[in-house]
Amino acid sequence: MEDAITAVREFNRFYTRLIGVLDDRFLGADLTLPEARLLFEIVHADRPVAAELQASLGMDAGFMSRLLRRFETRGWITREHGGADARRRPIVPTDAGRAMFDLINERQRALVTAMLERLAPAQQRDLIAALGTTTAMLSPAPRQGFTIRTFRIGDLAMLAARQSILYDEVYGWGRGLELVESEYTTQFLRQFKPGREQCWIAEAEGAMAGSVMLTDEGDGLSRLRLMYVEPFARGRGIGDALVGTCVAFAREVGYDAITLWTHTVLTSARKIYAAYGFEIIETEIHKEFGKPEQGETWRLGLRG
């Protein structure tokens, strides 16, 4: 915990200096960063009221009231008639207010562009993923939304690494699982059968949020492998969507059945499999991960 606290505080100091938060004239314009943030919300919202802006920004009511009065004095906003309570009167940006917003918006884009130009495309993608993951992890409310795509270069190694790390932290499965994961993904890449096999990656906020694979086991049998969801992205229905995508693909290809191997302790995944009609056909205690675990073989018939 102390390492995490130190890292967050160091980044805060770095980034506030980088973007000029401490300047009294944000981006050289006649307003501070809090004022620029408030103006952004006013321009992008549809006739917001002060109470809505306060809730959205988490800003102190008295402080916001002073900023709004300053905006009115400078001719950046007007308040429509909406009763005696000023907090419920719709706020509308004026032409002057929009002009100020356009000025700082252009300067902000130029500043960010200059920061990003020195990064290679792969580094920019890494930055997007890191920022998205950070936002999801630290957001006080669960975020929603995700996409599912087929795998790209580097995805298989990444999903094997992430699953190995996560399951070692939670269940202590260590190098045994890492070896299994690496063997599965390497075999998949070496023997990939386009049109009959596939790996899907879920993404949220630009970062890998989960995965699932379907492989051809021969004689009309397919196998669902390596389904998982990152902790930061759970609660969005990603696991259900991944399994659904896998089952739909298997039906479309024409497989007779899908089998999978999981473990009794993976309760969330087991609920998803059961919801799709998979049934347990065999259980067995094994020690492949360095300690006894109950493995389960499940099967879903696709004919009839």
Side-chain angles (χ1 to χ4, degrees), residues 31-300:
L31 76 177
T32 63
L33 179 59
E35 290 171 328
R37 184 69 178 87
L38 178 58
L39 186 59
F40 177 93
E41 292 295 326
I42 293 172
V43 169
H44 285 85
D46 181 19
R47 300 170 63 250
V49 298
E52 294 170 344
L53 293 170
Q54 180 188 351
S56 174
L57 294 172
M59 188 176 287
D60 175 76
F63 181 47
M64 174 173 288
S65 179
R66 291 192 295 274
L67 295 187
L68 290 175
R69 285 199 298 271
R70 184 168 187 261
F71 285 7
E72 285 185 284
T73 300
R74 290 182 171 271
W76 293 348
I77 63 170
T78 59
R79 294 184 193 241
E80 296 182 348
H81 294 294
D85 188 351
R87 295 173 301 176
R88 307 305 306 176
R89 294 171 59 189
I91 299 169
V92 179
T94 64
D95 289 342
R98 290 186 180 278
M100 174 56 71
F101 169 77
D102 289 340
L103 173 65
I104 59 176
N105 188 51
E106 291 173 5
R107 290 180 180 178
Q108 183 72 61
R109 286 185 59 85
L111 175 65
V112 174
T113 298
M115 287 192 291
L116 298 180
E117 281 179 337
R118 61 185 180 84
L119 301 181
Q123 291 176 304
Q124 292 182 18
R125 289 193 295 271
D126 288 344
L127 179 62
I128 292 170
L131 293 175
T133 302
T134 300
T135 301
M137 286 181 173
L138 298 182
S139 178
R143 297 172 68 86
Q144 299 298 317
F146 61 91
T147 58
I148 295 177
R149 60 168 176 80
T150 54
F151 72 104
R152 297 194 292 242
I153 297 296
D155 283 336
L156 275 295
M158 186 179 298
L159 74 87
R162 288 300 301 155
Q163 290 193 37
S164 298
I165 292 169
L166 290 173
Y167 289 138
D168 182 53
E169 290 178 349
V170 178
Y171 303 108
W173 287 352
R175 295 288 171 81
L177 175 65
E178 186 174 18
L179 180 59
V180 170
E181 299 267 353
S182 299
E183 288 176 345
Y184 283 169
T185 53
T186 299
Q187 182 181 19
F188 179 85
L189 289 172
R190 288 185 186 279
Q191 302 176 6
F192 178 54
K193 301 175 184 177
R196 293 194 62 80
E197 298 181 326
Q198 193 54 268
C199 173
W200 294 271
I201 304 297
E203 289 186 327
E205 285 82 51
M208 180 181 287
S211 71
V212 72
M213 295 167 55
L214 188 81
T215 59
D216 186 351
E217 303 298 295
D219 297 326
L221 182 65
S222 60
R223 181 177 293 275
L224 185 154
R225 298 180 184 268
L226 305 187
M227 198 281 285
Y228 93 110
V229 178
E230 288 283 349
F232 82 85
R234 291 172 185 169
R236 309 185 191 201
I238 291 176
D240 181 84
L242 287 169
V243 173
T245 299
C246 197
V247 171
F249 178 82
R251 291 187 188 279
E252 181 180 346
V253 170
Y255 284 110
D256 297 326
I258 307 175
T259 188
L260 64 87
W261 184 56
T262 188
H263 292 81
T264 304
V265 296
L266 301 178
T267 55
S268 295
R270 294 171 77 253
K271 290 178 181 178
I272 295 174
Y273 302 144
Y276 275 91
F278 284 87
E279 296 180 344
I280 300 175
I281 60 174
E282 182 182 2
T283 62
E284 182 181 6
I285 303 295
H286 69 88
K287 297 183 179 179
E288 288 192 42
F289 305 154
K291 62 178 184 175
E293 290 288 353
Q294 180 164 292
E296 300 174 346
T297 300
W298 294 53
R299 184 183 177 93
L300 172 66

